Amino acid sequence: MMRELFESRFGSSQGARLVTAPGRVNLIGEHTDYNLLPVFPMALQFGIRILFRPRGDASVRLASTAPGFGDRSFELQTEIQPYAAGDWGNYVKAAAQAVAEHWNLKRGMDAVVSGDLPMSAGLSSSSAMVVASALALLDVDRVAADRIELAELMAAAEHYVGTHGGGMDQAICLGGKRGHAALIEFAPLRITPVAVPEHWRFLVAHSMVKANKSAGAREHYNQCVADCRSAAAIMGDFRTLVGAANEEDVLAQGQARLEDRLFHRFRHQVSEGRRVYLARDAMAAGDAKRFGSLMLASHRSMRDDYLISCPEVDQLVDTAMTSGAIGARMTGAGFGGFVVALTDAANVDSLIRRLDQRFYAARGVSGVMAGHLFQVEPSGGAAVSLA
Ligand code: GLA
């Protein structure tokens, strides 16, 4: 389908190349990356693909296989005017502007974009699109970029779309390793793979509440970032505070010095920052029960302190737990989207069946058939190959 679309828009696809960039599921460490606190995601077997062929000029011409994503075209240069907020082409422009500036690239491409990842759902389709676009444009000019440098650059580049995100999504998209989750630390960016125990299974389930980061949820997200800046201006560097020996003291100081809303934001940051390292240790030790209880604690913290969950998501987490999950939590930017649940190989089918019966049937759909409910596999990072 990509090739047919390519040929119908741009002529022969001979010599075209293909970039694949995975989405991700964040296992724990939510809304912590923009405070340079660690996160613990894994790359998915689903993502964004771009079939592309270099052009002789600086035009970037785009078509997409996704319904409603019309053709786009712009010039590769260091200052690119964005489309209207929320336009899909802005994710390509974000990458294009950054690579044009950083590597002085001048050669455009004809490209067809496709994906098998649910959009606006917390699985990072947007960063996969940014990273895929960057890799394609770098490949056009035969630039071999360092992945860590590229991940950092793309995290900053994505601010172009108006969300003040951290660096998790671009890092795991570029640095994912098959069979592994990754501890990601920032400033400097470090990606440390941790093997997912063989019998552990993660599945994701959509709350059926669409969290459109490029529309309303963007303001909520940016408000979280701004609140953390305000709290840090009073309390000092969050990283130092998370590393402090006595968490109770740190929280007591926060309670004394911060107004109520900022204190709750702060408490999530401090507790979640710690949970990431504890969860990494639990996975390394193969302790699923411990990992699951940290996921649940993370969910409660997002629900009660950070205020980024919603009733449908909470209900889905509860349903997962009463259906046999070892742990469950909302994943991604929040305000809807997906829940991630941990189970083991012996129970994964029954958990899927029960979630379908107990959550989705009541909403008149089959979660599995509708693509709302599926197992995720720890997968490798983005790559370019011959098409
Ligand atoms: C979005 C952002 C990330 C991160 C998550 C929440 O995916 O792009 O940087 O902040 O939300 O953990």
Side-chain angles (χ1 to χ4, degrees):
M1 186 174 173
M2 287 178 89
R3 201 173 273 277
E4 283 87 79
L5 180 59
F6 190 99
E7 290 181 350
S8 80
R9 288 294 192 284
F10 309 122
S12 165
S13 63
Q14 231 192 343
R17 289 165 69 80
L18 183 72
V19 51
T20 57
R24 59 99 186 97
V25 62
N26 190 20
L27 303 179
I28 198 159
E30 217 63 80
H31 278 251
T32 50
D33 59 351
Y34 49 76
N35 293 317
L36 307 180
L37 293 172
V39 292
F40 197 59
M42 65 187 204
L44 301 182
Q45 73 271 38
F46 302 110
I48 299 287
R49 286 181 301 156
I50 302 183
L51 182 67
F52 65 98
R53 196 189 49 200
R55 288 178 57 85
D57 59 19
S59 294
V60 175
R61 297 197 301 172
L62 306 166
S64 166
T65 59
F69 282 34
D71 294 359
R72 297 287 180 269
S73 164
F74 62 90
E75 296 299 299
L76 183 65
Q77 55 199 21
T78 51
E79 269 181 48
I80 304 175
Q81 282 305 309
Y83 296 114
D87 192 286
W88 76 274
N90 282 340
Y91 294 95
V92 184
K93 283 186 167 181
Q97 177 171 284
V99 296
E101 195 181 357
H102 196 80
W103 282 281
N104 193 25
L105 303 189
K106 296 204 166 68
R107 224 170 145 201
M109 63 180 177
D110 291 332
V112 166
V113 181
S114 184
D116 51 7
L117 197 64
M119 309 284 232
S120 302
L123 300 182
S124 193
S125 52
S126 41
S127 299
M129 179 102 88
V130 172
V131 166
S133 305
L135 286 176
L137 288 166
L138 287 166
D139 191 78
V140 160
D141 253 307
R142 297 275 174 236
V143 176
D146 173 73
R147 289 204 164 215
I148 293 286
E149 184 187 7
L150 185 59
E152 285 183 316
L153 192 72
M154 286 305 111
E158 202 174 317
H159 290 189
Y160 180 91
V161 303
T163 309
H164 305 152
M168 162 168 65
D169 305 342
Q170 303 78 5
I172 189 65
C173 183
L174 282 156
K177 183 171 171 194
R178 206 164 158 221
H180 293 69
L183 175 73
I184 299 179
E185 296 162 295
F186 301 97
L189 180 61
R190 269 192 309 194
I191 306 175
T192 313
V194 180
V196 177
E198 227 172 281
H199 56 281
W200 289 24
R201 296 290 180 274
F202 287 102
L203 55 86
V204 294
H206 198 294
S207 63
M208 295 178 65
V209 177
K210 212 162 168 140
N212 192 350
K213 192 141 57 78
S214 53
R218 183 178 54 190
E219 272 71 58
H220 290 293
Y221 183 93
N222 289 343
Q223 186 60 52
C224 294
V225 179
D227 284 350
C228 288
R229 299 267 179 282
S230 307
I234 297 169
M235 297 303 298
D237 177 42
F238 283 2
R239 275 206 284 196
T240 315
L241 294 166
V242 168
N246 193 328
E247 185 177 351
E248 270 176 34
D249 277 0
V250 168
L251 292 178
Q253 279 174 36
Q255 190 151 29
R257 297 172 67 190
L258 296 170
E259 50 108 341
D260 200 52
R261 193 177 66 155
L262 290 192
F263 171 64
H264 284 93
R265 298 275 205 224
F266 177 70
R267 186 160 66 182
H268 170 75
Q269 293 293 327
V270 172
S271 63
E272 187 79 349
R274 288 191 169 226
R275 278 188 291 270
V276 169
Y277 289 112
L278 298 172
R280 183 269 318 263
D281 294 345
M283 183 178 279
D287 189 343
K289 250 180 108 184
R290 173 93 176 118
F291 195 93
S293 72
L294 289 162
M295 290 174 82
L296 271 182
S298 167
H299 186 73
R300 282 189 214 107
S301 179
M302 290 190 282
R303 184 190 64 196
D304 302 337
D305 271 345
Y306 219 61
L307 307 180
I308 53 171
S309 187
C310 65
E312 294 83 351
V313 166
D314 297 338
Q315 196 195 336
L316 186 50
V317 167
D318 292 344
T319 310
M321 292 312 294
T322 53
S323 300
I326 304 169
R329 59 185 289 282
M330 189 188 74
T331 184
F335 315 104
F338 273 95
V339 159
V340 56
L342 169 64
T343 182
D344 57 31
N347 291 306
V348 64
D349 291 340
S350 82
L351 178 57
I352 288 178
R353 216 175 27 249
R354 285 178 186 159
L355 275 173
D356 227 347
Q357 284 159 1
R358 296 176 186 176
F359 188 84
Y360 294 103
R363 288 164 171 78
V365 290
S366 155
V368 173
M369 299 295 282
H372 294 325
L373 176 61
F374 51 92
Q375 209 176 306
V376 285
E377 283 147 32
S379 304
V384 185
S385 58
L386 276 178

